[in-house]
Amino acid sequence: MLIYSTVFSLYLYFCVLLMSQQKQNVDIYSFYINSTVTSRYATTVITSRVANTLNESQGIQFEVKIPKNAFISKFRMTIEGKTYDGVVKEKEEAQQQYNQAVSRGQSAGLVKSVGRTLEDFKTSVTVAAFSKVTFELTYEELLKRRLGKYELLINAQPMQPVADFKMDVHIQEKPGISFLEVKGDLSTGDLTNAIKITRADKDAWVTFYPTRDQQTTCRSCGENGLNGDLLITYDVERQNPQGEVVVSNGYFVHYFAPSDVSRIPKNVVFIIDRSGSMHGKKIDQTRLALLRILSDLDEDDHFGLITFDSEVSLWKRELLKATETNLENAKSFVKEIRDRGATDINAAVLAGVDMISRHPREGTASILILLTDGDPTSGETNIDKIMANIKEAIGTKFPLYCLGFGYDVNFDFLTKMSLENGGVARRIYEDSDADLQLQGFYDEVAVPLLSDIQLKYPGGTKLTKTSFSLYFNGSEIVVSGQITDNSVESFTTEVIKSSNVTYKDTIMTKDPRDVPPENEDFMQRLWAYLTVKQLLERQVLLKEQEKEDEKKEALKLSLKYQFVTPLTSMVVTKPQEGEVEVADKPKEGEEPSRHQGKN
Ligand SMILES: *[C@@H]1O[C@H](CO)[C@@H](O)[C@H](O)[C@H]1NC(C)=O
Ligand SMILES: *[C@@H]1O[C@H](CO)[C@@H](O)[C@H](O)[C@H]1NC(C)=O
Ligand SMILES: *[C@@H]1O[C@H](CO)[C@@H](O)[C@H](O)[C@H]1NC(C)=O
Ligand SMILES: *[C@@H]1O[C@H](CO)[C@@H](O)[C@H](O)[C@H]1NC(C)=O
């Protein structure tokens, strides 16, 4: 341990030394971040121009943080008028190229995961004395609606104050923008004055042009300049309950988020892990979150509480109505939850399924929420058997959501089990705000508005996911696809709720006002982005041929659209003879990792 920390301090010291050296001898004379959002599809370009102010050649670094949900789609370096473009290749192929480079003793760069929401892209290149280099990185993402808003997160950390720093964001939303807010550390202190928001009916522009001096003044900034995020949140107008359809160049996207419906009472069962590993802060935060969640239940909701270690304890055998008395009793039960014992996920979830299945479900939405921080260690511990048992018991009647607390959970297992049962898995990060993360997740599923939703597009093909078990207030259903016959004049969407056509809409596809010509192909990219995301997500559910086929399809699209996904890597060939770097997308929950070639 002592040796480790000594080595680590040395390493830190070395890094600080390197950084301060770089700071003196390189001048980042311009740094631009340019983000365009068209119908929730965000394309962000970061351009950094750097001069080597030293009288000899040296390595110059480019390091930026991008949202985890995004796919890098372009990287380019320009040195002395020559451009070097990154090329996206199948992972194995890229790896081979990288291995060859490593065996020749050259370095490799990577994207690594940092924190909850960001990934770190880092590369460096040798630049001759008094020469300049331009780095340009592009990434793309579809903004997801959560709790009634979209969030565009932009990180800026150029490592030194920059004479010419500009961030330009342009948001264009056809139905109009209902509200827009700019938050984040970069909007604190003196920097507030550097932000300008301009709004028109369907457009919003946010510019952030801090002076060199201002760049050292925000909460998280210092003598190394800007260091933090700008978070732009907004929502769009929803005049049309049928949703919004955008059509462009043979592709369409349908955003469906009706607000003209009333909530469905819900039956919710919380299955809470109280095994020994939940000890301390985790169990405290869980209790805190549960108490608040209970307070948020509506009177016509029904709820159940199950805690488990190697034994399963039910608060009550039946679901009870969320009356004041019942809630008070439940809260007393929650306050007494203590950690102990092992983890019997199988028995606990089956008890939850049984409880919810015995409750009448007519006109209500049922939801099962499992919170655990570990692997099954008691009762049935075979993961495949647990999944089979639970799938059979639930039988597609209601969704199971799994919350994995910390990094000791088998998150792949939780993801697979949730997806198999119509839900999603979410990681809860061990941190001071874990209780808020838990509550935030609950808030997203707190108000079910529609159940058993099918979307139909008679003129569409290659559709992304079209059936959803529940639609929650504040979220949004998104379907994209290709238009079968591009010469048709109109396009029809149909939303079927519980076997009854609820929303039907026909739009004219030849509306020239739809999409500005400069980003006509964004729709195709949006479709590709969503398709790849969903194909990759489904991988855990599929077997054999089907799994291979879908993987192949995801790879094909990743290559065609040059997305750095878990199946592809970006190979960057540098000016120095044969020097190659490979950028990979890190896996969710992966501890920061790095292949480093010998230098
Ligand atoms: C940002 O991107 C838009 C659209 O691609 C372009 O018109 C604009 O010139 C760019 N701005 C900067 C500062 O690069
Ligand atoms: C760079 O400048 C320093 C002092 O300014 C000098 O000692 C050194 O020889 C120069 N190096 C080259 C490669 O010209
Ligand atoms: C849905 O959420 C919005 C706020 O985001 C709220 O105004 C509305 O009342 C909610 N609808 C229902 C049915 O609760
Ligand atoms: C379908 O919905 C309409 C309008 O809400 C209603 O009048 C009709 O009875 C429903 N049909 C079925 C089969 O549920």
Side-chain angles (χ1 to χ4, degrees), residues 54-57 129-130:
L54 203 62
N55 62 353
E56 51 194 62
S57 72
F130 306 119

Side-chain angles (χ1 to χ4, degrees), residues 81 86 102 114-115 119 184 193 223-224 226 242 273 281 355 440 481 558 592:
V102 167
V114 286
E119 284 166 7
N193 304 321
E223 59 175 312
N224 291 335
L226 295 174
Q242 280 81 354
D273 188 338
K281 218 167 169 183
M355 192 186 261
S558 305

Side-chain angles (χ1 to χ4, degrees), residues 413-484:
F413 156 58
L414 294 183
T415 305
K416 193 167 171 182
M417 189 160 67
S418 332
L419 288 173
E420 272 190 347
N421 295 294
V424 291
R426 184 75 64 77
R427 195 185 293 279
I428 302 297
Y429 297 90
E430 279 188 67
D431 209 336
S432 55
D433 69 341
D435 52 324
L436 297 178
Q437 297 174 49
L438 286 168
Q439 204 187 346
F441 171 78
Y442 169 77
D443 287 344
E444 286 179 42
V445 298
V447 185
L449 296 180
L450 298 173
S451 61
D452 302 323
I453 307 129
Q454 302 283 331
L455 297 100
K456 293 237 152 69
Y457 307 91
T461 177
K462 300 233 172 169
L463 304 173
T464 59
K465 191 177 167 195
T466 53
S467 73
F468 300 84
S469 55
L470 288 169
Y471 157 66
F472 298 103
N473 198 20
S475 72
E476 182 171 65
I477 289 174
V478 183
V479 182
S480 181
Q482 299 181 10
I483 292 176
T484 328

Side-chain angles (χ1 to χ4, degrees), residues 168-189:
D168 285 275
V169 179
H170 180 194
I171 298 171
Q172 29 195 348
E173 294 289 352
K174 198 170 62 142
I177 296 165
S178 62
F179 82 91
L180 183 139
E181 237 175 39
V182 180
K183 293 185 291 193
D185 338 338
L186 293 186
S187 69
T188 60

Side-chain angles (χ1 to χ4, degrees), residues 250-501:
Y251 290 79
F252 77 91
V253 62
H254 181 200
Y255 295 104
F256 180 67
S259 49
D260 63 335
V261 271
S262 48
R263 59 181 292 279
I264 315 174
K266 64 181 180 294
N267 311 313
V268 57
V269 174
F270 301 96
I271 307 166
I272 307 297
D273 188 338
R274 55 155 195 231
S275 62
S277 52
M278 287 287 286
H279 179 73
K281 218 167 169 183
K282 283 199 265 185
I283 200 91
D284 291 343
Q285 290 170 317
T286 302
R287 274 196 302 262
L288 199 61
L290 273 174
L291 291 175
R292 290 207 213 102
I293 289 169
L294 288 173
S295 303
D296 284 349
L297 289 174
D298 277 283
E299 185 144 6
D300 55 358
D301 288 338
H302 285 74
F303 72 105
L305 289 169
I306 295 176
T307 59
F308 72 99
D309 46 81
S310 48
E311 281 167 45
V312 176
S313 316
L314 312 184
W315 168 56
K316 293 282 171 337
R317 278 186 42 77
E318 314 286 332
L319 291 191
L320 288 190
K321 200 160 185 242
T323 61
E324 214 166 302
T325 323
N326 286 339
L327 287 175
E328 281 316 310
N329 288 336
K331 284 179 188 172
S332 308
F333 174 80
V334 166
K335 286 178 192 153
E336 292 308 314
I337 298 177
R338 296 285 176 269
D339 57 283
R340 56 177 225 199
T343 312
D344 189 346
I345 290 180
N346 185 62
V349 177
L350 288 177
V353 175
D354 176 58
M355 192 186 261
I356 231 168
S357 300
R358 281 188 284 112
H359 190 81
R361 293 188 309 121
E362 195 59 39
T364 62
S366 296
I367 303 167
L368 214 48
I369 300 178
L370 165 70
L371 170 72
T372 179
D373 75 332
D375 294 343
T377 55
S378 166
E380 179 61 75
T381 55
N382 179 318
I383 281 173
D384 290 324
K385 289 210 179 110
I386 297 176
M387 285 193 298
N389 290 346
I390 288 167
K391 191 173 174 193
E392 195 195 336
I394 292 183
T396 73
K397 291 194 295 282
F398 41 80
L400 167 67
Y401 294 93
C402 296
L403 303 176
F405 206 147
Y407 280 106
D408 293 333
V409 286
N410 182 341
F411 200 69
D412 282 345
F413 156 58
L414 294 183
T415 305
K416 193 167 171 182
M417 189 160 67
S418 332
L419 288 173
E420 272 190 347
N421 295 294
V424 291
R426 184 75 64 77
R427 195 185 293 279
I428 302 297
Y429 297 90
E430 279 188 67
D431 209 336
S432 55
D433 69 341
D435 52 324
L436 297 178
Q437 297 174 49
L438 286 168
Q439 204 187 346
F441 171 78
Y442 169 77
D443 287 344
E444 286 179 42
V445 298
V447 185
L449 296 180
L450 298 173
S451 61
D452 302 323
I453 307 129
Q454 302 283 331
L455 297 100
K456 293 237 152 69
Y457 307 91
T461 177
K462 300 233 172 169
L463 304 173
T464 59
K465 191 177 167 195
T466 53
S467 73
F468 300 84
S469 55
L470 288 169
Y471 157 66
F472 298 103
N473 198 20
S475 72
E476 182 171 65
I477 289 174
V478 183
V479 182
S480 181
Q482 299 181 10
I483 292 176
T484 328
D485 177 2
N486 204 19
S487 63
V488 295
E489 299 277 308
S490 68
F491 183 72
T492 301
T493 63
E494 250 178 47
V495 181
I496 298 160
K497 190 205 95 187
S498 314
S499 335
N500 195 351
V501 175

Side-chain angles (χ1 to χ4, degrees), residues 32-36 45 47 166 168 170 209 518:
Y32 291 169
I33 301 177
N34 195 348
S35 195
T36 311
V45 184
T47 312
K166 282 196 180 121
D168 285 275
H170 180 194
Y209 297 167
E518 67 268 19

